[in-house]
Amino acid sequence: AAVEEAAVEETAVEEAAVEEEAVEEAAVEEAAVEEAAVEEAAVEEAAVEVAAVEVAAEKEAVEEEAAVEESAVEEAIAEEAAVEPEAMEVEEDGPLEDWTVKELKEECKTLGVSDKGKKTELIERIKEARATTEEAAEEVIAEEEAPAKEAAAEEAAVEEAAVEEAAVEEAAVEVAAVEVAAEKEAVEEEAAVEESAVEEAIAEEAAVEPEAMEVEEDGPLEDWTVKELKEECKTLGVSDKGKKTELIERIKEARATTEEAAEEVIAEEEAPAKEAAVEEAAVEEAAVE
C-alpha cells in the first residue's frame, strides 16, 4: 500500500511538473508574440515617420521650386522694367534734332530701318518709323476692341427691343384690364337696375296678395257666405252671378289664373338678371384668362 501511495505521489509530481513546464512554455510563447507585436508596431511607426519626413521634404522642395520660379519671374520683370527706361533714355534727353548722328543711327537700327544718310534724313526716317509703329499698334487695338464694341451694341439693341416689347405688352394688358373693368361695371349697373325692378315688382305683388288673401284667411271658400263670395268675385274681376258652388269654382279658377300670371311675370322679370349674372361670370372668367 505504501508503494502504491508513493507511486501515486510520484505520478502527481510528474504531472505537476509537466503542467508547470507547459505553463512556462505558454508564457514564453506569449512573451515572444507580444515582443514581435511591439517590434512590428515600432517598424510601422518608423515607416510612418519616414513617409512623413519624405512628404515634408517633397513639400519643401516644391515650395523652394515655386519660390525659385517666382523669383525668376520677378527678376525678369525687373530686368524688362530696367531695359525700357534705358531704351527711352535717349528720347527723354530731348528732341531728335538735339541727338547726335551716332544716337540717331542706333535708333534707326533699333527700329529696323536704314541708318544711312544725313542727320535730317535719319530724323525723318525715325519719325516715319515711329508713326508707322504707332498706327499699327492703334489698328491692332482697334481690331481687338471692335468685336467687344459690336457685342455691346448688339446687346444694347436686344435689351432696348426687349424693354420696348415689354412696355407694349404692359400697355396692352392695362388697356384690356380697363376695358374689362368698364364692361364689368356696366354689367353690374344693369344687373342692379334689373334687380331693383324685380324687387319692386315682388314688393308690389306681396302688397297685393295679402289684400286678396284676407277673406281666404278667414276660412275655406265653402265656409264663406254668398255675400263674401260675390265680393271676392268683384275683387277678382269675374262675374258674381250664380249659385254658391258656381261662385266658389269661379273664384278658384280666377285665383289660379292670377297666380300663373304672377309667376310668369316674376320669371320674365328675373330672366334678365340671371342672364346678366351669366354674362358677368363670363366676363370675369375672360379677364382671368
Side-chain angles (χ1 to χ4, degrees):
V3 172
E4 290 178 358
E5 185 177 353
V8 170
E9 289 178 355
E10 186 178 356
T11 303
V13 170
E14 290 177 356
E15 289 179 358
V18 170
E19 290 178 357
E20 185 177 356
E21 186 178 357
V23 170
E24 290 178 355
E25 289 179 359
V28 171
E29 289 178 358
E30 185 177 356
V33 169
E34 289 178 356
E35 186 177 357
V38 170
E39 290 178 354
E40 185 177 356
V43 171
E44 290 179 356
E45 186 176 355
V48 170
E49 290 179 356
V50 170
V53 171
E54 290 177 353
V55 169
E58 187 175 355
K59 181 179 178 182
E60 186 176 356
V62 170
E63 291 177 351
E64 288 179 357
E65 185 178 356
V68 170
E69 291 179 354
E70 185 177 356
S71 176
V73 171
E74 290 177 354
E75 288 178 2
I77 294 172
E79 288 176 359
E80 185 177 354
V83 168
E84 288 179 356
E86 290 177 2
M88 296 298 292
E89 279 178 4
V90 181
E91 186 174 356
E92 289 174 357
D93 292 338
L96 295 175
E97 286 74 13
D98 297 340
W99 290 19
T100 65
V101 174
K102 182 179 179 181
E103 291 172 341
L104 293 172
K105 288 186 176 183
E106 289 177 356
E107 182 68 9
C108 287
K109 291 178 181 179
T110 302
L111 295 173
V113 294
S114 174
D115 60 348
K116 307 298 181 182
K118 297 179 181 179
K119 182 174 182 177
T120 54
E121 293 174 352
L122 297 175
I123 292 173
E124 187 66 24
R125 200 173 295 137
I126 291 171
K127 288 181 178 180
E128 289 178 357
R130 286 179 177 177
T132 303
T133 303
E134 289 176 359
E135 288 177 2
E138 289 176 357
E139 288 178 359
V140 171
I141 293 171
E143 288 177 358
E144 291 175 350
E145 292 179 349
K149 290 181 179 179
E150 290 177 1
E154 290 177 359
E155 186 176 355
V158 171
E159 289 179 355
E160 185 177 356
V163 170
E164 291 177 356
E165 186 176 354
V168 171
E169 291 179 356
E170 186 176 355
V173 170
E174 290 178 356
V175 171
V178 171
E179 291 177 353
V180 170
E183 188 173 355
K184 181 180 178 182
E185 186 176 355
V187 171
E188 289 176 352
E189 289 179 358
E190 185 179 353
V193 172
E194 291 176 355
E195 185 177 356
S196 176
V198 171
E199 289 176 354
E200 289 178 3
I202 293 172
E204 290 175 0
E205 183 181 353
V208 171
E209 285 178 356
E211 295 177 0
M213 295 298 290
E214 280 179 2
V215 182
E216 186 176 357
E217 290 174 356
D218 294 336
L221 294 175
E222 286 75 12
D223 295 340
W224 290 17
T225 63
V226 174
K227 182 180 179 182
E228 290 172 343
L229 293 170
K230 287 187 175 183
E231 288 177 356
E232 182 66 11
C233 287
K234 291 178 181 177
T235 301
L236 296 172
V238 295
S239 175
D240 60 349
K241 306 297 182 181
K243 297 179 181 180
K244 184 175 181 178
T245 54
E246 294 175 350
L247 296 174
I248 291 171
E249 186 67 25
R250 200 173 295 137
I251 290 170
K252 287 181 178 180
E253 290 177 357
R255 283 180 177 176
T257 304
T258 303
E259 289 176 359
E260 290 176 1
E263 289 176 358
E264 290 178 359
V265 170
I266 293 171
E268 290 176 357
E269 291 174 345
E270 289 180 349
K274 291 180 180 178
E275 292 177 0
V278 172
E279 291 177 359
E280 183 180 355
V283 170
E284 290 178 354
E285 185 176 356
V288 170
E289 291 176 355

